[in-house]
Amino acid sequence: MLTFEERIRAIVADREHGSSTLLQWTLDALGDKDGTSPTRAQQRWALHELKGIDHSMVVVHHLLDTLGTEPGNDLPERVRAYARQWSDIPARVARQLLSVRDWSNARVLLHSHSGMLLSAVEHMHHSAPGIVFWQTRSLPGGEGVTQYRRLLDRGIDCELVDDADVADLAPSLEAAWLGVDQFDSRCFVNKVGSKRIGEAMTNAGKPLFALGDSRKRVQQVRYSTELFEAVPLSKGIYLVTESGACPSVPGTDEFFVTSQTPPI
């Protein structure tokens, strides 16, 4: 079993997983889920080290900003309280996605490796008979292969596709689902390759759904261009949060309007 310090260093160094997964690992470590019982000095060190996580991972920094820099006497308790407050977000996002349309027998493209995506796929697997997924390899990191294997392990029907084949595949799909690491009024940020998928789906007249939550809203996106890219919120791209699914309206703040759902 990894030591507390090793777990923290692994989280900071990770370049494969999405923000939801890194957040869960951080909650587990700081919440003392494995009983390592870090000292106050170790907790203070961890809070400092975790600030080094790429700022594209907005949801992790939301937790860190909530906790502050001084652990105090009750850090694990405060971490567990935060986890309880936000624990049902993936399920709520999946329910909003279910409200958009009947996904039975749909063909859906996935990209990269995202805890939010995995949760949504698991919900759809049980709620939409016959739904089939295509998972990109997600170059250059190839983290999509990891997500593909996790889907297969869970008994979910999925095929692995090369990123270069997305444009040819798009016309035969009903939709693409992507994760979201952060968003503002004009775009959302996700792993490299997301913009090309958005363009392919738009050109094919098919919708793209970006799955995130309200913690990931920022005034202006900031991200590392080595691993991430911004996808403009344009026609055919829909943001789905725990508050609802709505059309993208560049230059406005109207994201959480549950009365407006995309015409599919």
Side-chain angles (χ1 to χ4, degrees), residues 30-163:
L30 295 180
D32 197 20
K33 188 173 181 179
D34 63 354
T36 53
S37 300
T39 65
R40 184 83 60 84
Q42 288 175 312
Q43 292 172 340
R44 188 178 296 109
W45 167 84
L47 291 171
H48 177 269
E49 290 297 303
L50 289 164
K51 288 286 187 179
I53 292 175
D54 194 292
H55 279 274
S56 299
M57 304 298 189
V58 170
V59 69
V60 178
H61 288 278
H62 182 277
L63 166 65
L64 298 175
D65 290 343
T66 300
L67 296 176
T69 58
E70 179 55 48
N73 295 321
D74 59 347
L75 180 64
E77 289 77 11
R78 289 191 289 129
V79 169
R80 290 193 286 268
Y82 181 98
R84 287 192 298 272
Q85 178 183 355
W86 295 96
S87 63
D88 64 340
I89 290 295
R92 290 169 63 186
V93 170
R95 286 196 294 270
Q96 295 292 352
L97 193 58
L98 273 169
S99 73
V100 169
R101 59 159 290 168
D102 179 5
W103 291 96
S104 299
N105 301 309
R107 297 157 58 94
V108 178
L109 180 71
L110 309 173
H111 181 61
S112 192
H113 186 188
S114 161
M116 183 69 77
L117 274 183
L118 284 169
S119 176
V121 169
E122 284 193 288
H123 277 81
M124 292 300 176
H125 176 63
H126 297 294
S127 304
I131 191 169
V132 180
F133 297 95
W134 273 256
Q135 168 71 54
T136 66
R137 292 185 180 275
S138 312
L139 300 178
E143 66 274 7
V145 178
T146 301
Q147 180 159 278
Y148 166 72
R149 289 171 179 161
R150 293 187 67 181
L151 291 170
L152 292 183
D153 288 343
R154 299 176 191 196
I156 296 171
D157 193 358
C158 185
E159 293 191 25
L160 189 65
V161 297
D162 291 329
D163 296 55

